[in-house]
């Protein structure tokens, strides 16, 4: 019997990313409790970035665009394991190289928002044919970074993904320099 996403157990963490308790994801979201997430920036062999629109059924940020795959870290799961699991699940691939951790930050959704989450950002190159999960991904494409930057001003994006993107870019960062954003 499969557990629904709202029933999956999640570690609730404090301001130091230490586990303080474990609750179902739906309850964590409803109460706006701090938890853990992973973001994986996926590039193909041509250095294009995987971009997708989330399905309308997603619990958080439905129908918005995202330049990362990823999600909530399961109870007792490491960030590294979650990054690989989430990337393979959402891309619909097996045998993906282990995503490389790049940076960690605390995302806060602001007043009246959904809470906050410790976020590890990863990068990985996927040269496998992708078949994204239909439950997670309504549309997808690998976009050149120049087009992605254009779309940032045109499409509605998940706010935590934009925050991660801006941190990856950093002040004065050049697009594509060294294969990183």
């Amino acid at each position: 019997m499969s557990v629904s996403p709202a029933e999956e157990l999640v570690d609730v963490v404090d301001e130091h990313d230490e586990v303080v308790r474990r609750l179902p994801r739906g309850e964590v979201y409803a109460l706006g409790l701090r938890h853990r997430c992973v973001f994986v920036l996926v590039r193909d062999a041509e250095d294009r970035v995987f971009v997708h629109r989330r399905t309308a059924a997603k619990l958080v940020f439905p129908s918005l665009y995202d330049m990362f795959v990823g999600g909530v870290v399961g109870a007792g799961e490491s960030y590294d394991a979650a990054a690989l699991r989430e990337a393979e699940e959402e891309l619909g691939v097996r045998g993906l190289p282990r995503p490389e951790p790049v940076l960690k930050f605390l995302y806060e959704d602001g007043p009246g928002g959904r809470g906050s989450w410790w976020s590890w950002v990863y990068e990985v190159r996927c040269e496998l044919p992708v078949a994204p999960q239909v439950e997670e991904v309504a549309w997808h494409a690998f976009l050149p970074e120049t087009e992605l930057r254009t779309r940032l001003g045109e499409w509605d994006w998940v706010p935590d993904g934009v925050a991660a993107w801006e941190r990856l870019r950093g002040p004065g960062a050049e697009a594509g320099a060294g294969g990183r954003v």
Side-chain angles (χ1 to χ4, degrees):
M1 178 186 250
S2 178
V3 174
S4 78
E7 296 170 328
E8 292 173 354
L9 289 180
V10 173
D11 288 329
V12 176
V13 297
D14 65 15
E15 65 275 8
H16 305 291
D17 196 16
E18 298 293 328
V19 177
V20 295
R21 63 188 195 179
R22 195 168 276 172
L23 293 170
R25 183 193 304 203
E27 192 173 337
V28 169
Y29 287 175
L31 297 173
L33 300 175
R34 186 174 293 130
H35 55 285
R36 295 173 170 163
C37 288
V38 291
F39 298 78
V40 183
L41 184 76
V42 180
R43 292 185 183 272
D44 68 3
E46 297 173 42
D47 212 33
R48 298 174 300 180
V49 177
F50 181 83
V51 174
H52 67 284
R53 187 170 49 81
R54 297 163 62 88
T55 62
K58 295 291 287 179
L59 291 174
V60 176
F61 307 132
S63 301
L64 297 183
Y65 288 89
D66 201 346
M67 69 284 286
F68 295 95
V69 297
V72 174
V73 177
E77 185 177 33
S78 72
Y79 282 104
D80 289 351
L84 181 59
R85 175 184 55 77
E86 287 283 354
E88 286 189 337
E89 283 176 8
E90 285 191 39
L91 295 170
V93 301
R94 290 287 173 249
L96 194 65
R98 184 160 295 281
E100 293 293 322
V102 180
L103 66 91
K104 183 180 183 181
F105 71 100
L106 177 62
Y107 176 78
E108 299 194 77
D109 203 23
R114 292 177 171 85
S116 66
W117 38 96
W118 278 106
S119 309
W120 257 109
V121 180
Y122 291 77
E123 293 183 353
V124 72
R125 186 161 307 276
C126 179
E127 298 182 3
L128 304 165
V130 299
Q133 272 186 322
V134 296
E135 301 83 16
E136 303 270 339
V137 177
W139 170 90
H140 73 280
F142 280 96
L143 300 181
E145 196 169 315
T146 53
E147 183 175 350
L148 170 55
R149 285 194 309 265
T150 298
R151 300 294 180 207
L152 279 169
E154 300 172 353
W155 296 348
D156 290 327
W157 296 84
V158 296
D160 59 348
V162 171
W165 175 261
E166 289 170 350
R167 282 171 174 79
L168 269 179
R169 303 260 325 130
E174 290 298 317
R180 292 235 160 122
V181 251

